[in-house]
Amino acid sequence: MEKCLAPSILSADFGVLKEQLELIDDAGAQYVHFDVMDGVFVPSISYGMPVLKSIRKYTDRLFDVHLMIVDPERYIKDFAEAGADIITVHAEACKHLDATIDLIKSCGAMAGVAINPATPVSTIKHVLDKVDMVLIMTVNPGFGGQKLIPYTIDKVRELCDLCNKLGVKIDIEVDGGINIDTIDAALDAGANIIVAGSAVFKGDVKANAEALLEKMR
Ligand code: DX5
Ligand code: ZN
């Protein structure tokens, strides 16, 4: 599977967001990761459809929308219309995960499912053949700049092995605490989509993104 960098704009400078998008574009990042938070599913609030809509015209990179919200089925159509290419919902936030995945695909987006650190990989076993991507949270969701939780790397390996056993080819994304020191462990375990917020947007954005992309070659 192709290795892609998905900078999370959660840590970007929103005062110059267009310019920051150009920097990650120039570096070669393939995705833009949007961390949508409602203050209920996670203890923080971020942004929603208006931000997606406003920057869609500035880049053709894949918009990777991570919904950290309760009952996400309420907003799937809105995010698809705002320009989302992938919409990822949390298994823990869905009453009817199988149906919500169908809804995402019916809205023309690729479907992702995310699990928090303490949620077993087996929870999503029955939908692996329906999704395009699985997001393994490598921190407890809600804030950028946290430290990676080591046991989550074992979950990446467990998921990769399960996909191979089931014969399904899906992208495996990791999100939280990924930086120049932790990226190798995530890649070695089988992750191929790398979310990085503070490791990209704190400091020299283009150089940070290029350094992570270099590790992915
Ligand atoms: C929820 C968010 C963060 C963010 C990554 O917590 O999903 O994990 O994307 O933040 P960093 O890369 O700064 O840990
Ligand atoms: Zn995220």
Side-chain angles (χ1 to χ4, degrees):
M1 308 290 276
E2 187 194 355
K3 294 187 177 76
C4 298
L5 181 64
S8 163
I9 63 165
L10 188 70
S11 298
D13 177 347
F14 275 68
V16 284
L17 188 54
K18 178 173 177 284
E19 289 75 10
Q20 300 232 304
L21 280 172
E22 285 162 358
L23 290 172
I24 58 174
D25 240 10
D26 292 350
Q30 299 88 347
Y31 289 29
V32 179
H33 187 80
F34 291 83
D35 285 308
V36 180
M37 302 180 185
D38 63 1
V40 178
F41 181 71
V42 291
S44 186
I45 294 175
S46 59
Y47 39 68
M49 296 75 81
V51 171
L52 246 87
K53 221 175 275 180
S54 69
I55 61 174
R56 182 69 275 184
K57 53 187 171 297
Y58 296 131
T59 176
D60 58 5
R61 302 299 177 175
L62 196 135
F63 277 10
D64 171 29
V65 176
H66 176 195
L67 296 182
M68 289 167 273
I69 67 176
V70 294
D71 301 332
E73 66 281 359
R74 298 169 295 153
Y75 295 106
I76 301 295
K77 186 168 178 291
D78 292 338
F79 276 101
E81 286 171 358
D85 295 295
I86 298 184
I87 298 175
T88 297
V89 295
H90 269 263
E92 304 93 344
C94 295
K95 294 188 186 71
H96 306 288
L97 177 60
D98 186 279
T100 301
I101 292 166
D102 290 343
L103 173 61
I104 294 170
K105 293 161 87 167
S106 72
C107 291
M110 289 181 274
V113 59
I115 51 174
N116 286 331
T119 302
V121 167
S122 58
T123 307
I124 54 171
K125 178 183 174 195
H126 298 293
V127 296
L128 289 179
D129 62 345
K130 298 186 83 157
V131 297
D132 301 286
M133 181 173 80
V134 172
L135 192 171
I136 299 284
M137 284 306 297
T138 39
V139 295
N140 290 302
F143 304 95
Q146 300 180 80
K147 267 177 75 56
L148 180 142
I149 299 171
Y151 71 73
T152 59
I153 295 298
D154 298 333
K155 291 176 64 180
V156 173
R157 190 168 285 106
E158 183 187 346
L159 173 64
C160 195
D161 293 346
L162 179 58
C163 290
N164 291 336
K165 200 171 102 200
L166 296 174
V168 297
K169 285 186 95 42
I170 55 173
D171 287 320
I172 300 177
E173 183 173 58
V174 287
D175 180 357
I178 304 292
N179 56 44
I180 208 76
D181 300 320
T182 59
I183 189 171
D184 287 339
L187 293 168
D188 293 349
N192 68 302
I193 313 290
I194 304 293
V195 174
S198 43
V200 169
F201 289 106
K202 300 303 175 208
D204 183 328
V205 175
K206 187 161 181 259
N208 290 343
E210 286 170 339
L212 291 170
L213 283 160
E214 187 54 36
K215 294 279 242 182
M216 298 165 68
R217 292 209 199 295

